[in-house]
Amino acid sequence: MRAISAVLSRFRPGLALLSVTLLCATAQAQSIEPPAAIAAAKKITICADIGSPPLSFYKDDGTLTGAEVELGDAIAGKLGVKAAWKPVQFDGIIPALLANQCDVIMSELYDKPKRREVVDFVDYLASSQSLVVLKGNANHIKGLDDLAGRKVAVENGTTIQSLVDDENKKLAGQGKPPAQVVVFPKDTDAFQALRIGQVDAYGTTIKTAGYYFKQAPDLFELGGEPFAQAIIGAAFRKSDTELQKAFAAALEAVRKDGTYKKILENWGIERDAL
């Protein structure tokens, strides 16, 4: 680079400076290289449980959209490849990654110590749990302990399902009836159960709850304050250290150029930025 600059400076000093600037910019843009297999495939396959707005869901025309989708696409772009999204039910998403069905998981997966025994994480978002009820909150549900004897809809394999199961143990110790947990394969199905009155509450993340409030502000409200804040991360096989490092670098690049902030603001979840 110095040799090129020296030659050009003999003719036009300004051109030499411009050349060095362009070369530096090009080197920076090309500095994040994915593993050879991903570069050769020209894509990074991302496992996701599609159906958890506003993070990942299908629009009426079948187009895939959401904050996680946009973020994953942007990170893939920094790696010089395309993002290929693979739909997987949430309770089978880590097994799918371990079976090499995808390269990474981006699906509101909480970075928990127990999960770190199996996979590695690159964290990119925060989140909290919530209970959604029909407008008016006729059953006066303000928290998990108010679910005694009530029906609550959850998506299979989610954190909120575990939290309700743990609460049921406490209720049993207090001599109270447990919550009746109605498990659905998709978050959207669990929400629909509340919408048509099959359950008394719907447990989900505050992001998803906020999305539904915007869609139908006159139909739903929170049953108490959000709780159990946790960190969301992209999950990798422990053997894929090269990909994990490249992904982390690409995520940092997306932060620095403002794309990360813009995506979160567009979906109204900027308060959950890391």
Side-chain angles (χ1 to χ4, degrees):
M1 187 179 297
R2 289 180 180 176
I4 295 174
S5 177
V7 172
L8 289 174
S9 65
R10 298 177 186 174
F11 300 96
R12 196 176 298 173
L15 181 58
L17 178 59
L18 176 60
S19 174
V20 171
T21 301
L22 290 175
L23 286 169
C24 288
T26 300
Q28 184 178 16
Q30 296 177 343
S31 63
I32 305 174
E33 296 183 1
I38 288 179
K42 298 181 179 180
K43 66 178 181 179
I44 180 170
T45 302
I46 306 174
C47 277
D49 178 25
I50 309 299
S52 295
L55 296 184
S56 66
F57 63 103
Y58 293 106
K59 295 193 292 187
D60 291 340
D61 63 1
T63 304
L64 181 60
T65 189
E68 268 180 336
V69 173
E70 291 183 4
L71 182 58
D73 288 347
I75 289 171
K78 293 294 184 182
L79 295 173
V81 297
K82 296 291 185 181
W85 293 86
K86 181 179 180 62
V88 181
Q89 286 192 3
F90 192 82
D91 58 343
I93 206 163
I94 290 180
L97 174 69
L98 298 180
N100 295 307
Q101 294 179 20
C102 55
D103 303 305
V104 59
I105 296 170
M106 288 187 71
S107 190
E108 202 169 8
L109 187 67
Y110 286 2
D111 182 349
K112 299 179 180 180
K114 196 69 175 177
R115 285 177 176 156
R116 277 190 175 265
E117 295 177 6
V118 182
V119 295
D120 287 333
F121 283 91
V122 172
D123 298 331
Y124 58 87
L125 208 58
S127 188
S128 298
Q129 299 298 311
S130 65
L131 295 174
V132 182
V133 297
L134 293 176
K135 199 74 172 181
N137 196 3
N139 295 313
H140 307 290
I141 295 173
K142 296 296 183 181
L144 292 174
D145 54 345
D146 293 323
L147 294 177
R150 303 293 180 187
K151 290 183 179 181
V152 56
V154 298
E155 181 184 9
N156 192 30
T158 55
T159 294
I160 189 64
Q161 181 184 6
S162 299
L163 290 173
V164 176
D165 288 342
D166 289 343
E167 185 64 28
N168 276 341
K169 296 175 184 177
K170 296 178 184 178
L171 292 172
Q174 297 168 2
K176 297 180 181 180
Q180 182 179 338
V181 185
V182 185
V183 181
F184 291 89
K186 289 285 184 183
D187 211 35
T188 46
D189 297 334
F191 162 70
Q192 184 63 18
L194 174 66
R195 184 167 192 158
I196 63 177
Q198 288 184 343
V199 296
D200 302 302
Y202 156 53
T204 189
T205 65
I206 190 62
K207 294 180 184 61
T208 299
Y211 173 81
Y212 287 130
F213 293 157
K214 287 183 179 180
Q215 301 301 307
D218 298 328
L219 295 180
F220 311 101
E221 64 181 83
L222 279 181
E225 294 296 319
F227 53 92
Q229 187 181 58
I231 302 301
I232 296 170
F236 301 83
R237 289 181 291 272
K238 286 187 172 292
S239 59
D240 285 346
T241 55
E242 185 182 356
L243 174 58
Q244 184 181 349
K245 291 178 181 178
F247 186 98
L251 173 60
E252 183 60 24
V254 169
R255 289 181 189 276
K256 287 183 176 179
D257 70 11
T259 301
Y260 176 84
K261 181 180 178 182
K262 182 179 179 181
I263 290 172
L264 268 56
E265 288 177 344
N266 285 345
W267 289 97
I269 57 174
E270 61 274 16
R271 285 178 293 183
D272 289 328
L274 289 184

